[in-house]
Amino acid sequence: QVQLVESGGGLVQAGGSLRLSCAASGNIVNSNTMGWYRQAPGKQRELVAVITSAGSTNYADAVKGRFTISRDSAENTVYLQMNSLKPEDTAVYYCNFRNHWDSSTYWGQGTQVTVSS
């Protein structure tokens, strides 16, 4: 089992910045992917950005150039720096951990990000 604890959500004006953090604990394997997904009201959950244990990243087109994902592997923590936020970025953001060995997947409890216009 892997536990994920998220922090950093909140309310910000359009054009502002927020930084999300997610700390993983438990049965952490070296080969994994951590990342962020989001779900807006009435919409499906969608990928925002992910980063592998080797440092490879993948971003949704909607956030490229504005969001940056990074990780501290020693602390099993992933970060999402969100700049130039837009009202359409408003959603619940969920941390995700995927074990490469058996593809087991874990989710955080979610943190609300609200961007006002």
Side-chain angles (χ1 to χ4, degrees):
Q1 284 286 341
V2 173
Q3 295 77 42
L4 302 173
V5 177
E6 302 146 336
S7 61
L11 173 65
V12 65
Q13 287 188 331
S17 298
L18 283 174
R19 188 191 195 209
L20 305 182
S21 300
C22 173
S25 62
N27 188 21
I28 307 295
V29 296
N30 289 336
S31 184
N32 61 72
T33 295
M34 295 185 71
W36 295 91
Y37 290 71
R38 67 187 181 187
Q39 188 166 17
K43 295 188 177 181
Q44 290 189 330
R45 191 173 298 188
E46 62 180 8
L47 179 145
V48 177
V50 293
I51 183 168
T52 70
S53 47
S56 296
T57 59
N58 186 35
Y59 293 90
D61 287 344
V63 307
K64 284 180 180 177
R66 300 188 297 122
F67 292 9
T68 302
I69 191 168
S70 61
R71 65 186 291 166
D72 181 337
S73 293
E75 297 294 330
N76 295 314
T77 300
V78 65
Y79 305 96
L80 185 68
Q81 178 65 43
M82 304 185 293
N83 298 329
S84 302
L85 282 160
K86 304 175 180 180
E88 51 263 45
D89 294 318
T90 296
V92 178
Y93 284 68
Y94 294 92
C95 181
N96 175 270
F97 178 98
R98 184 171 64 84
N99 178 343
H100 290 179
W101 289 100
D102 63 6
S103 296
S104 55
T105 300
Y106 303 89
W107 294 94
Q109 78 282 3
T111 184
Q112 177 70 45
V113 171
T114 302
V115 184
S116 63
S117 57

